[in-house]
């Protein structure tokens, strides 16, 4: 099970990955969504973001972009950023590096971005370095909501957001049916919480 905030040794292990955007001047949250676009959740997410005038970064699966090109276009038309999340949601730990890189490049045919997030965060350091050589910025996270975990309640997720949010946090939600119950219950609350705490929102670039 993933920890809401990665331990320091993981950040050292994955040297070269971007976990947080540190700034002493700006109180900023970088809101991100993995695994979409999804016919079940993308439009609902976009409606919530539009209500609060918040922009986010969507790490998309190439296969889902092929399936739902209109939803992908709506993400871009809404002024949001996108990133590559492989074509088929591959785990780097069990995928040969050549196959992994080929899958990223397959997704790149339909996702125009130099941002990459490894599915599950499971990527060998050698694979991370190889991805960077392709010209990608490898984006990890400072706070993952674990909204996909059906054993967690919205209230428990809210507590972790309350205690773990900080300047420059890269926060992960999921654009998927599996995560929808928790994600849709927590997302409006989280945005209002951050706004009330004086945070602004930026996309990754």
């Amino acid at each position: 099970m993933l920890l809401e905030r990665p331990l320091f040794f993981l950040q050292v292990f994955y040297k070269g990955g971007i976990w947080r955007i540190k700034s002493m001047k700006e109180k900023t949250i970088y809101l991100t969504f993995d695994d979409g676009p999804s016919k079940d959740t993308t439009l609902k997410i976009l409606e919530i973001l539009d209500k609060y005038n918040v922009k986010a970064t969507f790490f998309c699966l190439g296969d889902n972009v092929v399936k739902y090109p209109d939803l992908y276009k709506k993400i871009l038309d809404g002024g949001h950023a996108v990133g590559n999340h492989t074509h088929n949601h591959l785990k780097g730990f069990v995928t040969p590096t050549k196959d992994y890189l080929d899958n990223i490049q397959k997704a790149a045919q339909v996702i125009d971005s130099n941002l990459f997030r490894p599915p599950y965060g499971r990527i060998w350091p050698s694979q991370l370095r190889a991805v960077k050589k392709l010209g990608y910025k490898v984006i990890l996270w400072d706070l993952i909501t674990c909204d996909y975990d059906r054993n967690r309640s919205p209230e428990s997720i809210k507590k972790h957001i309350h205690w773990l949010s900080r300047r420059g946090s890269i926060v992960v939600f999921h654009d998927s049916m599996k995560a929808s119950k928790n994600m849709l219950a927590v997302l409006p609350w989280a945005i209002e919480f951050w706004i009330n705490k004086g945070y602004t929102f930026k996309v990754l670039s």
Side-chain angles (χ1 to χ4, degrees):
M1 184 174 67
L2 291 172
L3 298 172
E4 288 84 359
R5 170 162 293 154
L7 299 175
F8 177 73
F9 82 88
L10 286 175
Q11 299 182 43
V12 174
F13 185 69
Y14 291 120
K15 186 178 180 181
I18 299 172
W19 298 87
R20 179 183 172 206
I21 311 297
K22 296 180 181 180
S23 173
M24 296 303 295
K25 296 180 180 179
E26 298 181 330
K27 199 173 180 182
T28 305
I29 291 290
Y30 295 84
L31 188 55
T32 70
F33 296 87
D34 285 3
D35 300 347
S38 163
K39 64 183 178 64
D40 300 300
T41 52
T42 300
L43 288 178
K44 295 174 183 177
I45 292 169
L46 292 176
E47 288 174 2
I48 293 169
L49 296 178
D50 187 58
K51 176 182 176 181
Y52 294 99
N53 194 28
V54 168
K55 303 303 180 187
T57 305
F58 288 75
F59 285 89
C60 299
L61 297 172
D63 189 47
N64 282 350
V65 173
V66 172
K67 289 177 182 175
Y68 309 114
D70 291 346
L71 292 177
Y72 180 71
K73 186 174 184 298
K74 283 185 179 295
I75 292 170
L76 294 174
D77 288 347
H80 305 285
V82 294
N84 188 321
H85 199 44
T86 75
H87 197 78
N88 301 109
H89 209 256
L90 298 186
K91 294 179 182 178
F93 284 178
V94 296
T95 306
T97 296
K98 183 181 183 305
D99 294 343
Y100 194 72
L101 297 178
D102 287 347
N103 202 258
I104 293 169
Q105 294 296 69
K106 184 176 182 180
Q109 294 175 20
V110 291
I111 301 168
D112 183 15
S113 175
N114 71 332
L115 305 177
F116 173 75
R117 174 175 282 155
Y120 311 99
R122 295 175 184 174
I123 182 173
W124 294 113
S126 59
Q127 292 173 324
L128 190 153
R129 291 192 295 270
V131 172
K132 290 188 67 178
K133 285 183 179 179
L134 292 177
Y136 289 96
K137 295 179 180 179
V138 179
I139 307 296
L140 294 158
W141 57 80
D142 187 55
L143 170 57
I144 188 165
T145 62
C146 299
D147 49 357
Y148 52 81
D149 186 346
R150 291 172 179 169
N151 292 319
R152 296 184 184 230
S153 68
E155 290 307 313
S156 69
I157 295 172
K158 289 176 184 179
K159 287 180 182 177
H160 285 109
I161 290 173
H162 176 86
W163 289 111
L164 297 177
S165 297
R166 57 182 176 174
R167 292 175 186 266
S169 283
I170 298 173
V171 182
V172 182
F173 282 91
H174 288 80
D175 182 4
S176 69
M177 185 61 190
K178 182 179 180 180
S180 61
K181 184 178 179 181
N182 280 332
M183 182 271 294
L184 293 173
V186 173
L187 181 59
W189 174 90
I191 292 173
E192 290 185 8
F193 168 78
W194 287 317
I195 290 173
N196 290 334
K197 290 293 184 180
Y199 286 98
T200 58
F201 300 84
K202 286 188 177 181
V203 298
L204 294 161
S205 63

